[in-house]
Amino acid sequence: MQFISELFKRFKPLYAAAIVLFANSMLTAQTIPITVNDTIRLCEGTAFTIDVLLNDTNDAGEVLEVDILAGPSSPLIDYDDELLPEGTYDIFVDAGFIGEDVMVYEVCGEDDELCAIGLIVIIVAGADNCVWPGDANVDSICNYLDLLPIGVYFGNNGPTRYDIDGTWEESYCDEWEDLVEYYIAPNAKFADCNGDGYIDASDTLVIVNNYGQTHGDYIPEAFIGGPDDPILGVDFFSDTIEAGSEIIIPLLLGTDDTPASNIYGLAFEFDYDETLIDASSVKVTFNSGWLGTPGTDLISIQSNDTINGIISVSVTRINQISRSGSGHVGEVSFVMEDNIAGKLTNQISSPVNFCISFPQTINNFGVPVNINPICDSIIVFQITDGIENYLQNNSYVYPNPADEMVNVLLGEKITGTCICLLYTSPSPRARTRSRIPSPA
């Protein structure tokens, strides 16, 4: 085998495959080691540890020894076996190398005469072509926006990723064949978040697990139009609500005058006042509405930042068919804090604003659709101590809130004449005084 080693020293590793075939054909049938070539795939600027003996065999049961006959031809690739088990090597690829290289190794038995030769093929992809599990839209962060590419590519299949544990680290993946050109991501492989070779709802679990992780600089983007574009916002059923109320309000996309056309996916942030709203109660659902039916042709995810009062929401269709419509697409629900008086200064009421920010709306090709995000507000009021005492005597005012008329029902323990103060919107200080006789 000495003359074969000399061959590798004289020839570049790029010819290694041909030399291996020639060398192994010269060995007799009594050759004990049987080598299987190894291929590793990794991203530029990363490292990989390989055990070349893992797939090499020795029928005689001898202890095998491994020597590198020819290292990589590129100076940007290095290897080291210090303090590692026999046949194990750390391979380092510097940033800047993209392409293929090869290493040649020799495996020998205990007598050092019966040897075989194998290859380590190194395939390196550029950073832009490597997958960060969960960053489906390739914007350097894993967040709610990454659901949109999953919806666009939903049902597609392609090569599985070589590292499919879903941990937050860049991973090599072969390109998928895109039969249709989409604009939401460079390639369908990025939407295969769990790397199993199929894009479906299970990929959303990786987004949840890696949520908020970043690689590089992230710059938020919004597709905001003008007053002539379809609106996106909430609509309150009244001007006022009572502290402690459980509220469900519709989420609207488009109006009869300006409907939303060719909508496939929708993402946005919903800002709320966490000092006046029970932050843990805020959620957005899509159980009804013109965009689709959850579990049938619709999937969604959301993340609630209860500290800053921001809930991030994404919903997308999954059948490659856009829809057009107007009005109700979902519901926003929350519970008002039951003691806002302790959070306000010399007030028993306060305006609460609800705004849509950073909207992204796409059609079934991933092309942005501009919309007009809007805000809405409502007055939340705290019942005073006096009224609370009346309520303890089974007194009621209904409906509450009301637009034109209210009914006042006084408890049996109240005697004399009562003065009822009715606060109206938009000014919480405006009031009407009424004298109400007590029950007979």
Side-chain angles (χ1 to χ4, degrees):
M1 296 297 295
Q2 181 63 35
F3 78 99
I4 296 177
S5 300
E6 292 298 325
L7 283 175
F8 284 115
K9 294 179 181 178
R10 296 185 180 185
F11 289 95
K12 294 183 178 180
L14 295 179
Y15 304 103
I19 297 175
V20 165
L21 291 175
F22 168 73
N24 286 341
S25 67
M26 297 177 62
L27 299 176
T28 66
Q30 287 76 36
T31 299
I32 295 177
I34 300 175
T35 59
V36 177
N37 294 337
D38 298 283
T39 300
I40 61 175
R41 299 167 175 84
L42 63 167
C43 305
E44 62 170 319
T46 63
F48 188 87
T49 300
I50 183 172
D51 179 4
V52 298
L53 295 178
L54 205 59
N55 57 357
D56 295 342
T57 59
N58 175 25
D59 293 338
E62 294 180 317
V63 176
L64 298 178
E65 295 182 356
V66 180
D67 289 312
I68 299 296
L69 299 181
S73 60
S74 172
L76 296 178
I77 301 180
D78 197 6
Y79 68 94
D80 183 23
D81 63 349
E82 186 176 358
L83 302 179
L84 295 176
E86 184 71 23
T88 302
Y89 298 90
D90 288 332
I91 298 177
F92 308 93
V93 179
D94 291 344
F97 179 85
I98 300 173
E100 295 187 18
D101 209 328
V102 66
M103 297 172 59
V104 183
Y105 68 93
E106 179 185 61
V107 179
C108 298
E110 292 178 353
D111 58 6
D112 210 23
E113 291 296 329
L114 298 175
C115 302
I117 296 169
L119 299 180
I120 304 173
V121 180
I122 304 169
I123 302 175
V124 183
D128 292 342
N129 286 320
C130 285
V131 175
W132 288 85
D135 183 15
N137 64 349
V138 198
D139 65 350
S140 299
I141 190 172
C142 177
N143 64 8
Y144 65 105
L145 297 174
D146 294 301
L147 181 71
L148 299 183
I150 292 178
V152 170
Y153 290 109
F154 202 92
N156 282 18
N157 60 80
T160 58
R161 209 163 54 234
Y162 298 93
D163 178 9
I164 60 174
D165 60 2
T167 56
W168 185 250
E169 59 183 7
E170 58 182 332
S171 178
Y172 181 97
C173 184
D174 294 323
E175 294 289 294
W176 286 30
E177 181 181 2
D178 287 341
L179 301 179
V180 179
E181 183 178 4
Y182 295 111
Y183 299 88
I184 193 69
N187 190 261
K189 68 179 182 180
F190 295 99
D192 181 24
C193 297
N194 63 6
D196 65 355
Y198 193 78
I199 299 175
D200 57 15
S202 64
D203 292 300
T204 63
L205 299 177
V206 179
I207 297 178
V208 173
N209 292 336
N210 292 335
Y211 200 93
Q213 297 279 9
T214 61
H215 62 98
D217 297 328
Y218 168 63
I219 301 176
E221 184 179 10
F223 307 149
I224 299 178
D228 296 331
D229 291 303
I231 65 164
L232 173 64
V234 297
D235 184 25
F236 282 102
F237 54 84
S238 179
D239 295 326
T240 60
I241 54 176
E242 181 182 341
S245 300
E246 297 182 13
I247 306 297
I248 300 177
I249 53 178
L251 176 69
L252 305 179
L253 176 59
T255 63
D256 292 339
D257 294 333
T258 309
S261 300
N262 297 320
I263 304 300
Y264 191 80
L266 170 66
F268 59 90
E269 290 185 351
F270 184 72
D271 303 326
Y272 60 90
D273 189 340
E274 74 280 2
T275 65
L276 300 178
I277 294 175
D278 179 2
S280 63
S281 70
V282 181
K283 63 180 179 179
V284 180
T285 56
F286 299 92
N287 296 325
S288 61
W290 61 263
L291 191 57
T293 303
T296 301
D297 56 7
L298 208 67
I299 56 174
S300 65
I301 61 172
Q302 58 190 278
S303 176
N304 189 6
D305 181 354
T306 58
I307 297 177
N308 296 305
I310 302 173
I311 185 168
S312 304
V313 183
S314 187
V315 60
T316 179
R317 294 178 57 76
I318 56 176
N319 59 2
Q320 287 73 52
I321 301 174
S322 295
R323 272 194 176 178
S324 300
S326 62
H328 178 199
V329 292
E331 308 81 29
V332 180
S333 61
F334 56 91
V335 177
M336 299 301 305
E337 290 285 358
D338 57 7
N339 182 23
I340 67 169
K343 304 176 183 296
L344 304 173
T345 304
N346 298 323
Q347 298 184 58
I348 60 170
S349 64
S350 175
V352 179
N353 297 317
F354 296 81
C355 293
I356 298 290
S357 60
F358 296 109
Q360 287 195 14
T361 307
I362 60 170
N363 65 15
N364 58 307
F365 290 101
V367 177
V369 177
N370 286 337
I371 59 174
N372 179 23
I374 62 173
C375 296
D376 200 4
S377 62
I378 196 169
I379 300 296
V380 57
F381 65 91
Q382 178 79 55
I383 297 178
T384 65
D385 289 340
I387 296 178
E388 288 175 355
N389 288 335
Y390 288 148
L391 292 178
Q392 292 172 5
N393 288 287
N394 297 320
S395 299
Y396 301 96
V397 177
Y398 66 93
N400 186 12
D403 292 329
E404 297 179 356
M405 182 182 70
V406 296
N407 299 290
V408 180
L409 179 63
L410 300 179
E412 296 180 356
K413 296 182 180 180
I414 299 177
T415 59
T417 300
C418 298
I419 298 177
C420 182
L421 300 180
L422 303 179
Y423 288 85
T424 60
S425 176
S427 172
R429 297 186 181 277
R431 62 186 182 182
T432 300
R433 174 176 294 187
S434 300
R435 291 181 178 274
I436 304 174
S438 61

